[in-house]
Amino acid sequence: MKMLNKTLTIGLILSLLSLHVLAQIPRIVEKDGRHALLVDGKPFFILGGQAHNSSGWPGMMPELFSAVKTMHLNTVEIPIYWEQVEAKPGKFNFSLVDTLLAQARAHQVRLVILWFGTWKNGSNHYMPEWMKREAAKYPNITGSKGQAIDSPSPIAKTTLEADIKAFTQVMHHLKQADPQHTVIMVQVENEAGAWGSVRDYSPAAQKLFQAAVPPQLLQPEVLNSLNVPVVASGTWQQVFGDRADEYFQAWYVASFIGKVAAAGKAEYPLPMYVNCALREPFSNPTADTYESGGPTDNVIPIWKAAAPVIDLLAPDIYLQGSKKILKVIELYDRPNNALFVPEAALSFANAKYLYEVIGRGGIGFSPFGIDANVPEGQPAETSERLAPFSRDYVVIAPMIRVLSEWAFEGKIKTAIEREDHAEQTIDVGTWKAVVSFGSTRANADQVNREPNGKIMIVQLDTNKFILIGSLCHITFQPARQHTGSAWQYLKVEEGNYENGIFKPLRILNGDETDFGGPRFGAGPIVLQAELITR
């Protein structure tokens, strides 16, 4: 009996430990339309950097993690390759995965794993060789004129079954090899869809296209969101008209990836997302001008219906111009979709959008290509190349946990400089913050050469704020019941955060706060400002 009781006690302890580990698995939560990625049970913002496509190999690790150190990031996005994981059918090799885990732990950063499986940039190039040699069994798309298209068919069950098998093994291995949750999220495929054909026109695809639209897409809320009349039934052409081809492709690509993700989550339920090659966000272009079938803004409702297991759809930002980029950020920031930018061009022009994503309650931002993409031993110009983001990361990293909590609570407002360099006014309760763009008091009337100014305003209390910014100037005006009142700064302190606590370096006064308020130079700084009305 004692032995039985001891066995039961050990079993109970193991069960409780398993439940504790499961409860601490990273997950995404939503409150009042804002989201947080919980890591170790607390909000976590991904200050990320993505490696080049071919940098997930051991010989590339020194250069990659040199860039990681220079950037002060907390998370590395890095691919793993189906062609390496399953070089022979049914024989799985996780040596690269284990190397990545060991390197990330050694450098004290988290990982987002990118599964380069069936799709990469719309093609099948990361499929194992044994699949590429059997093109009939694992087919690509057929174009509308019968031409071969360099993109896998989303209706091929054999390809789906093979991807599910491999991805399930990956997730099973991660569950066993990573109990401390070094990996906090997984990207399923990469920029799925097709270039060169809006959809698959093979005989099998044509048969499906002429069949009835799946009932999940005929729900009134889905049809309304697609600006399509509500109907009870119909073929793809009957229901969706001139967008039928694209919507058909989106449904089957999303369904395919949703099934892969569901199988992976059954093994280990990490958050999973799908990234997107964008379309122009204002003109509603036709799908022959962009990658058709991926989660572009116009088919997000289709993806949500076809693949509800996917936690979020994420934009890869390589567009130019603040109007377009801010519109994209708006389109992917939805109550049912956490905002995450997994790829963006590594440039000073894009660094300011990190602030916008944080301010909107997003969960992460990651520029692409942080490593110099050269093997160990070859020269790499790291610091200058990474400066656009490392300048901000080094300031924000020590306070990212508390910043994540403030963002989730809706305490952050931002101002991002546009191409017209126009002044911006932000409502912060009983105050209005007025932000203009320019770096020095001596040149107060001159705008920035490039529109790279930015500021985050965190409202700690009615009259107390944290200000983080560069290339801008801020002043305040009493608002609401205090409109027109005289006011002044009670105290402005420059400092930094350590373990969630502000540590002042100096009190700013005189030239540093006169003329309305502090001016932020080229390098971002953290200020704590308290205001009073007189």
Side-chain angles (χ1 to χ4, degrees):
M1 179 63 72
K2 289 183 178 179
M3 181 62 70
L4 178 60
N5 288 339
K6 184 177 181 181
T7 302
L8 290 173
T9 301
I10 292 172
L12 179 60
I13 291 172
L14 291 174
S15 296
L16 291 173
L17 286 172
S18 297
L19 288 172
H20 176 72
V21 170
L22 186 63
Q24 292 297 309
I25 289 177
R27 61 193 178 97
I28 295 171
V29 296
E30 181 270 340
K31 180 178 71 176
D32 300 328
R34 308 178 78 83
H35 299 86
L37 170 63
L38 300 186
V39 176
D40 299 330
K42 298 179 180 179
F44 181 93
F45 185 91
I46 293 172
L47 287 176
Q50 185 171 144
H52 280 97
N53 293 167
S54 301
S55 294
W57 300 91
M60 306 301 291
M61 293 297 103
E63 163 57 24
L64 173 61
F65 282 95
S66 173
V68 167
K69 182 179 179 180
T70 299
M71 283 192 72
H72 302 273
L73 51 75
N74 62 20
T75 306
V76 184
E77 296 178 12
I78 192 162
I80 61 172
Y81 316 109
W82 191 0
E83 63 181 353
Q84 184 276 330
V85 168
E86 194 183 6
K88 294 183 179 180
K91 305 294 183 181
F92 296 97
N93 179 355
F94 299 112
S95 59
L96 290 188
V97 175
D98 292 339
T99 296
L100 295 176
L101 290 173
Q103 289 288 316
R105 291 166 188 161
H107 292 87
Q108 298 183 320
V109 294
R110 305 283 183 156
L111 292 176
V112 172
I113 292 293
L114 318 178
W115 172 239
F116 283 10
T118 296
W119 280 275
K120 170 67 178 81
N121 295 352
S123 298
N124 70 349
H125 298 172
Y126 281 91
M127 281 185 185
E129 291 181 18
W130 54 270
M131 294 181 70
K132 294 174 184 175
R133 295 180 187 277
E134 295 191 67
K137 185 175 181 180
Y138 306 104
N140 278 354
I141 279 175
T142 299
S144 60
K145 297 180 180 179
Q147 75 275 28
I149 302 295
D150 183 20
S151 184
S153 173
I155 68 167
K157 292 182 179 179
T158 49
T159 306
L160 173 61
E161 290 167 357
D163 200 338
I164 285 175
K165 182 178 179 181
F167 186 67
T168 300
Q169 290 295 318
V170 168
M171 296 307 297
H172 177 78
H173 181 76
L174 282 178
K175 182 179 181 180
Q176 302 300 317
D178 189 30
Q180 59 267 63
H181 311 309
T182 305
V183 178
I184 58 175
M185 197 153 59
V186 177
Q187 178 182 292
V188 190
E189 317 297 344
N190 183 274
E191 293 188 354
W195 297 95
S197 181
V198 175
R199 67 171 176 88
D200 189 357
Y201 290 87
S202 66
Q206 285 297 96
K207 185 176 180 180
L208 290 171
F209 184 74
Q210 293 163 3
V213 171
Q216 297 95 315
L217 287 186
L218 296 175
Q219 299 303 311
E221 62 271 18
V222 177
L223 294 176
N224 286 333
S225 65
L226 295 170
N227 296 313
V228 171
V230 175
V231 294
S233 62
T235 66
W236 289 89
Q237 193 68 55
Q238 289 169 342
V239 175
F240 297 118
D242 60 1
R243 287 282 177 172
D245 291 335
E246 179 185 8
Y247 290 2
F248 174 87
Q249 172 78 351
W251 170 264
Y252 279 100
V253 173
S255 297
F256 183 114
I257 296 177
K259 291 172 183 175
V260 173
K265 279 197 170 188
E267 282 290 333
Y268 184 31
L270 283 176
M272 295 185 185
Y273 72 95
V274 176
N275 66 329
C276 177
L278 299 174
R279 66 178 199 150
E280 200 281 330
F282 289 106
S283 62
N284 193 28
T286 55
D288 57 345
T289 62
Y290 53 88
E291 189 175 37
S292 178
T296 49
D297 63 90
N298 59 318
V299 295
I300 289 176
I302 294 175
W303 272 79
K304 293 292 184 181
V309 71
I310 297 293
D311 292 277
L312 64 101
L313 307 171
D316 290 348
I317 296 181
Y318 295 97
L319 299 173
Q320 295 183 346
S322 61
K323 183 178 180 181
K324 289 181 181 180
I325 293 175
L326 290 171
K327 182 62 177 178
V328 165
I329 288 173
E330 174 191 327
L331 289 168
Y332 284 84
D333 179 18
R334 302 177 177 221
N336 68 345
N337 195 76
L339 176 60
F340 175 48
V341 178
E343 291 186 36
L346 183 57
S347 68
F348 279 111
N350 277 343
K352 62 188 177 185
Y353 301 112
L354 164 68
Y355 285 47
E356 181 72 9
V357 172
I358 292 174
R360 283 179 167 269
I363 66 168
F365 196 102
S366 182
F368 174 79
I370 63 169
D371 55 307
N373 202 19
V374 295
E376 183 178 4
Q378 295 187 21
E381 30 35 88
T382 298
S383 298
E384 183 178 350
R385 184 171 48 80
L386 299 178
F389 283 87
S390 63
R391 283 184 179 183
D392 287 292
Y393 280 18
V394 70
V395 172
I396 292 174
M399 60 185 301
I400 194 59
R401 280 289 193 176
V402 67
L403 205 59
S404 302
E405 293 173 1
W406 289 332
F408 190 44
E409 294 165 3
K411 293 183 176 181
I412 302 178
K413 300 286 182 70
T414 61
I416 305 299
E417 186 175 10
R418 274 66 160 183
E419 283 75 9
D420 62 4
H421 309 284
E423 182 178 277
Q424 297 178 37
T425 301
I426 304 170
D427 184 348
V428 283
T430 57
W431 297 90
K432 289 183 179 180
V434 182
V435 181
S436 56
F437 299 98
S439 59
T440 66
R441 184 165 62 89
N443 297 316
D445 296 328
Q446 297 181 15
V447 298
N448 295 321
R449 185 181 305 172
E450 299 292 338
N452 296 331
K454 56 193 181 292
I455 193 167
M456 267 191 286
I457 304 171
V458 184
Q459 186 160 18
L460 301 180
D461 205 343
T462 303
N463 303 318
K464 192 173 184 179
F465 304 90
I466 293 292
L467 311 173
I468 310 166
S470 61
L471 297 171
C472 66
H473 172 263
I474 188 169
T475 189
F476 289 86
Q477 297 173 356
R480 300 184 184 176
Q481 70 270 29
H482 300 297
T483 299
S485 299
W487 72 282
Q488 69 181 101
Y489 291 101
L490 187 63
K491 184 188 289 186
V492 178
E493 298 172 291
E494 180 182 348
N496 52 55
Y497 268 78
E498 294 179 12
N499 300 318
I501 299 173
F502 181 76
K503 301 289 187 179
L505 171 66
R506 59 174 175 165
I507 295 175
L508 299 186
N509 213 325
D511 289 347
E512 282 69 51
T513 56
D514 288 344
F515 310 98
R519 186 173 294 278
F520 296 80
I525 58 173
V526 181
L527 304 181
Q528 181 171 268
E530 193 165 1
L531 320 176
I532 58 169
T533 53
R534 297 179 64 87

